[in-house]
Amino acid sequence: MTQTNFIGIGEIEAARERIAATIRLTPVNVSDTLSTIAGVPVHLKLEHLQHTGSFKLRGAANAVSLLSDEERAAGVVGVSTGNHGRALAHAAKASGVRCVICMSRLVPQVKVDGIRALGADVRIVGRSQDEAQAEVDRLVAEGMTMIPPFDHPSVIAGQGTLGLEIVEQIPDVDTVVVPLSGGGLIAGVAAACKARNKDIRIVGITMERGAAMIASLKAGAPIEVEEQPTLADSLGGGIGLSNRYTFAMTRDLVDETWLINEAQIAAGMRHAYWQERQIVEGAGAVGIAAVLAQTFKPQGPVALILSGGNVDMKQHFRVIGGEDVDLMKELA
């Protein structure tokens, strides 16, 4: 296993102490219906109930807490598909730090509004995360500090605290199913879980439309992919051609990665609502979707991370009502 630029268990444990007063220890529920389908116990890690509605607060809070006085004075900036921006805005506001969030036009309005409500300056730039990143780079050149959504050691360590909670709440967990995007969550969770038990299997699930990490893993190096409208909008965006951490960590620590389609994501959202009584965004429902579709073969107690709940409620209403919601056609 290559160890260059890996985040270790010591950094994750330190992050947990640092952010303990900021985050919520989210609960775990057993799903009877999913357990029956899988043939093994299926546990739902309800991280969509985290403050700001997603796991992203863990990494953002850890990164903001480590800023120097000079960096705090200059302010922070980040690019986001929604949840990282909301988390960074929340953490920055709590610390009295100026925050600018740059986003593409593909980000749902509900997420833009949520970030603005937290006092951040939101700038909409282009139709991709890479285009929004150009505005971030300009602000960094002017002196602001960038806190990226995933490829940053403090962010990865913060997300890894979720893995520590899982192995403590589900001591016999065999497989942890993680929504896969830029890799910050899966890298941190995998590092934490495998440090506690090297035999825990880490499975990454993402959508077919614009799966940047899976495409990069197949290519053997970070590559660009076209971003496309998807119900799992939080999983959109590239991994960065100069990726320093999450590509290697995902490559070396993640056991399996799988793609699911839009109909399967919608089925996951519907199941979360009607069977589990949880309002979960598309990205947070991909693990449920994979179990329903029997995408992977569970081998023991499974933990599914429901990573976020910041969904446009009009879209959610349409999906849970059974409508065929195809954002590609609607946004064409």
Side-chain angles (χ1 to χ4, degrees), residues 201-232:
R201 185 166 59 131
I202 305 296
V203 176
I205 308 291
T206 195
M207 71 289 173
E208 290 180 349
R209 294 180 176 176
M213 182 61 82
I214 289 182
S216 296
L217 292 171
K218 288 181 178 178
I223 62 172
E224 292 182 350
V225 299
E226 179 185 358
E227 287 185 52
Q228 301 177 29
T230 171
L231 289 171

Side-chain angles (χ1 to χ4, degrees), residues 76-90 92 98-104 107 111-112 115-116 119-125 132 135-136 139 144 147:
V76 295
V77 60
V79 64
S80 175
T81 53
N83 287 337
H84 172 65
R86 193 166 188 155
L88 185 55
H90 179 94
R98 178 190 174 214
C99 178
V100 178
I101 301 298
C102 301
M103 314 173 81
S104 83
V107 176
K111 296 189 176 183
V112 175
I115 294 168
R116 284 194 172 124
D121 175 5
V122 178
R123 303 189 184 182
I124 306 299
V125 183
E135 177 68 4
V136 173
L139 293 170
M144 299 189 77
I147 297 182

Side-chain angles (χ1 to χ4, degrees), residues 4 9 28 31 50 71 123 126 181 251 260 280:
T4 304
I9 189 64
V28 170
S31 170
Q50 184 59 258
E71 289 170 332
R123 303 189 184 182
S181 180
R251 178 194 64 205
I260 56 174
V280 182

Side-chain angles (χ1 to χ4, degrees), residues 18 61-68 71-72 154:
R18 201 175 288 121
N62 190 47
V64 169
S65 71
L66 290 169
L67 292 172
S68 67
E71 289 170 332
R72 287 174 181 272
S154 300

Side-chain angles (χ1 to χ4, degrees), residues 168-328:
E168 290 166 2
Q169 292 172 306
I170 316 167
D172 62 344
V173 66
D174 176 89
T175 302
V176 180
V177 181
V178 189
L180 174 60
S181 180
L185 177 61
I186 205 166
V189 167
C193 290
K194 288 184 180 287
R196 291 285 186 260
N197 178 355
K198 63 181 178 59
D199 294 325
I200 291 177
R201 185 166 59 131
I202 305 296
V203 176
I205 308 291
T206 195
M207 71 289 173
E208 290 180 349
R209 294 180 176 176
M213 182 61 82
I214 289 182
S216 296
L217 292 171
K218 288 181 178 178
I223 62 172
E224 292 182 350
V225 299
E226 179 185 358
E227 287 185 52
Q228 301 177 29
T230 171
L231 289 171
D233 57 88
S234 292
L235 302 184
I239 69 168
L241 296 181
S242 59
N243 188 290
R244 297 179 58 204
Y245 297 92
T246 62
F247 173 77
M249 291 183 71
T250 302
R251 178 194 64 205
D252 293 355
L253 296 177
V254 175
D255 298 284
E256 301 174 31
T257 57
W258 298 93
L259 296 171
I260 56 174
N261 61 38
E262 295 298 296
Q264 291 167 337
I265 295 169
M269 294 172 69
R270 283 194 291 270
H271 177 94
Y273 183 78
W274 293 112
Q275 301 298 323
E276 313 298 342
R277 301 297 190 262
Q278 304 294 331
I279 297 175
V280 182
E281 61 183 282
V286 296
I288 293 176
V291 172
L292 292 173
Q294 298 182 302
T295 301
F296 68 99
K297 182 174 177 56
Q299 299 171 346
V302 175
L304 306 181
I305 298 176
L306 277 54
S307 55
N310 293 321
V311 62
D312 181 324
M313 292 306 294
K314 291 181 180 178
Q315 179 195 97
H316 187 266
F317 180 79
R318 294 172 62 197
V319 171
I320 65 169
E323 184 178 340
D324 179 14
V325 180
D326 190 334
L327 298 181
M328 183 83 80

Side-chain angles (χ1 to χ4, degrees), residues 127-150:
R127 286 185 56 83
S128 74
Q129 202 163 3
D130 289 337
E131 290 182 80
Q133 181 65 44
E135 177 68 4
V136 173
D137 295 340
R138 187 185 70 77
L139 293 170
V140 169
E142 293 180 358
M144 299 189 77
T145 296
M146 178 178 69
I147 297 182
F150 52 88

